[in-house]
Amino acid sequence: MIYDSLFDGEQLDGLYRGCDKGVRLVAVTNRRLMMVETTSCEDRLALTSVPFDRVISVCYLASVEDSVASSTTVGILVQDLMYQLGCRGEEQARELHDLIAWQLVCG
């Protein structure tokens, strides 16, 4: 479904699978984020497209007892809604965070 949703000239830069709650999948392209998620529709699964100019910030999320440096959860703030992707490890979280941050700063 992600590949079928790409526009002409749009390229897929990364695909990240999450846990069962919130954001289940994030596709990062050169133009937008596509997320398979339940955050915006609570009890329904949605394929949500967010252009990068709507993304406010990206962050690591950790409880106060845990280190942010070893976080496996990435938060994506879109206007006033925080999407959370529970990654399958620190390396995947770092890669996703850095790819989105690069698009926000350099893209």
Side-chain angles (χ1 to χ4, degrees):
M1 179 180 231
I2 297 294
Y3 290 104
D4 292 339
S5 299
L6 295 175
F7 298 121
D8 288 339
E10 189 173 23
Q11 67 185 42
L12 184 63
D13 294 330
L15 189 62
Y16 302 89
R17 194 173 289 283
C19 300
D20 291 338
K21 292 185 180 182
V23 179
R24 296 182 181 187
L25 182 79
V26 173
V28 181
T29 77
N30 58 326
R31 296 182 181 174
R32 62 185 162 145
L33 299 176
M34 290 187 282
M35 298 179 280
V36 176
E37 51 88 15
T38 58
T39 303
S40 62
C41 297
E42 293 180 16
D43 62 338
R44 297 201 282 179
L45 202 57
L47 175 60
T48 303
S49 292
V50 179
F52 275 110
D53 65 353
R54 304 281 183 187
V55 178
I56 304 298
S57 64
V58 61
C59 60
Y60 295 109
L61 299 172
S63 67
V64 293
E65 296 87 24
D66 296 327
S67 168
V68 172
S70 62
S71 176
T72 59
T73 303
V74 174
I76 304 164
L77 184 61
V78 177
Q79 301 195 323
D80 62 349
L81 185 59
M82 178 69 74
Y83 293 92
Q84 298 179 39
L85 179 75
C87 296
R88 299 184 188 268
E90 293 174 29
E91 186 176 320
Q92 183 187 41
R94 189 174 308 110
E95 185 179 313
L96 174 60
H97 174 277
D98 292 351
L99 183 56
I100 294 172
W102 185 86
Q103 282 285 359
L104 293 176
V105 174
C106 303

